[in-house]
Amino acid sequence: MQNGSLQTERLQESLLSVKLGVNIDHVAQVRQARKGMVPDPILAAQIAEKGGADAITVHLREDRRHIQDKDVQFLRKIIKTKLNLEMACAEEMVSFACKLKPEDVCLVPEKREELTTEGGLDVVSHKGKIEKTILRLKKAGISVSLFIDPEVEQIESAKEIGADCVELHTGLYANAKNNLREKIEYRKLVQAGAFARECGLILNAGHGLDYENVTQVAKIFQMHELNIGFSIVARAIFIGMEQAVKEMKALIVG
Ligand code: PXP
């Protein structure tokens, strides 16, 4: 799809309601603890779709600590919504994505020793490499999002090098230790969101969102999609995946 029509289609969608991308990495993480077959992330994705997920998100990490190549290949075939592949800007991953052709790729920074993605991609400092990657992915028909901190310079660079979308890192807002810090971080998200939309970028957000802090982020003007994993999988342990997704969806749509 051409960039302009993708933008228009997604803008129209975000005016209807905010979308929910369910990240199933943590289901695979439990499976990998025993290197067995269960719990099955594929089944989790199917149940998440039943609960109202608009997209399934997976992060294929270079160390393959949770999601495996075969999981992504299988998901590509069976999910009914769309596949959002998070990955590092590395040759191995770019070739994999170009063959697999998920609807969306979200480029993220990746460090082997981190527990989860820490901080956004530094687009300003790595413009050349990221621009080449975006070009290759877009040629393969994939929409490209960059996971960035809510900063004007990062958004400007994302626009300049041809990204379709930015996913704002909500970690500092989600982990704020007091109300004042939370307000400051929220304000940054609102301002960055407005600027991204002014630049014509599709606006997504994610990281650390849960059943308490999600509503505010979903209210940000023209928010298109929220990608949420940990809190949904944690709640699913007690109430099941379908209900955990339904509850999250109700919060972001409501
Ligand atoms: N978006 C991105 C780019 C991420 O890297 C992650 C974590 O894998 C998420 C969203 C989801 O974060 P969480 O698991 O804290 O909901």
Side-chain angles (χ1 to χ4, degrees):
M1 191 182 298
Q2 289 303 300
N3 196 26
S5 52
L6 177 76
Q7 298 278 350
T8 314
E9 185 186 286
R10 296 216 173 161
L11 175 59
Q12 280 165 351
E13 280 176 8
S14 49
L15 291 175
L16 292 174
S17 69
V18 180
K19 306 286 171 217
L20 172 62
V22 175
N23 180 316
I24 54 166
D25 293 349
H26 296 288
V27 176
Q29 197 156 24
V30 176
R31 179 193 62 189
Q32 293 310 106
R34 293 289 165 99
K35 302 239 184 309
M37 306 287 282
V38 293
D40 181 8
I42 310 295
L43 183 58
Q46 289 176 305
I47 300 174
E49 286 185 324
K50 223 168 135 198
D54 300 290
I56 299 298
T57 297
V58 285
H59 184 173
L60 185 65
R61 296 186 69 102
E62 290 181 275
D63 62 11
R64 307 298 198 272
R65 72 169 72 149
H66 35 57
I67 288 292
Q68 309 293 308
D69 300 40
K70 63 174 171 20
D71 294 325
V72 194
Q73 284 153 350
F74 205 34
L75 281 170
R76 169 72 290 188
K77 286 192 195 130
I78 61 117
I79 61 170
K80 296 196 180 79
T81 55
K82 64 181 180 112
L83 181 62
N84 175 28
L85 176 63
E86 290 176 5
M87 57 179 224
C89 196
E91 174 51 39
E92 180 203 4
M93 295 300 161
V94 181
S95 309
F96 180 84
C98 287
K99 271 191 222 132
L100 187 88
K101 298 192 195 304
E103 281 80 4
D104 298 340
V105 156
C106 180
L107 296 175
V108 300
E110 195 174 299
K111 289 193 225 111
R112 282 191 182 240
E113 63 280 12
E114 69 191 357
L115 285 179
T116 178
T117 318
E118 292 165 359
L121 197 62
D122 185 357
V123 188
V124 178
S125 312
H126 301 100
K127 261 192 207 166
K129 183 175 179 192
I130 301 173
E131 184 172 23
K132 278 189 200 133
T133 302
I134 293 177
L135 260 175
R136 277 179 69 191
L137 293 168
K138 283 175 76 163
K139 252 193 195 159
I142 302 164
S143 161
V144 186
S145 170
L146 304 181
F147 183 56
I148 56 168
D149 292 326
E151 292 167 3
V152 165
E153 310 78 56
Q154 298 294 342
I155 297 167
E156 278 172 343
S157 295
K159 175 69 186 169
E160 208 181 305
I161 61 174
D164 298 296
C165 170
V166 285
E167 178 168 329
L168 299 181
H169 189 317
T170 48
L172 288 178
Y173 158 77
N175 297 324
K177 294 277 180 282
N178 56 54
N179 285 348
L180 178 62
R181 195 72 248 164
E182 187 181 293
K183 270 192 190 149
I184 293 169
E185 296 302 334
Y186 182 66
R187 210 179 145 81
K188 282 192 207 162
L189 290 170
V190 172
Q191 288 174 342
F195 183 60
R197 287 297 315 135
E198 252 173 58
C199 292
L201 292 159
I202 297 161
L203 178 63
N204 292 350
H207 210 286
L209 296 178
D210 62 26
Y211 294 82
E212 286 186 2
N213 63 26
V214 76
T215 321
Q216 281 293 98
V217 178
K219 279 186 198 158
I220 294 175
F221 187 55
Q222 291 186 354
M223 181 60 70
H224 178 255
E225 183 176 287
L226 300 178
N227 282 301
I228 309 178
F230 184 80
S231 61
I232 293 178
V233 175
R235 185 147 177 76
I237 291 173
F238 300 105
I239 65 166
M241 192 70 179
E242 188 174 341
Q243 189 59 22
V245 173
K246 266 189 191 156
E247 287 182 8
M248 185 59 84
K249 183 82 190 261
L251 288 171
I252 70 171
V253 171

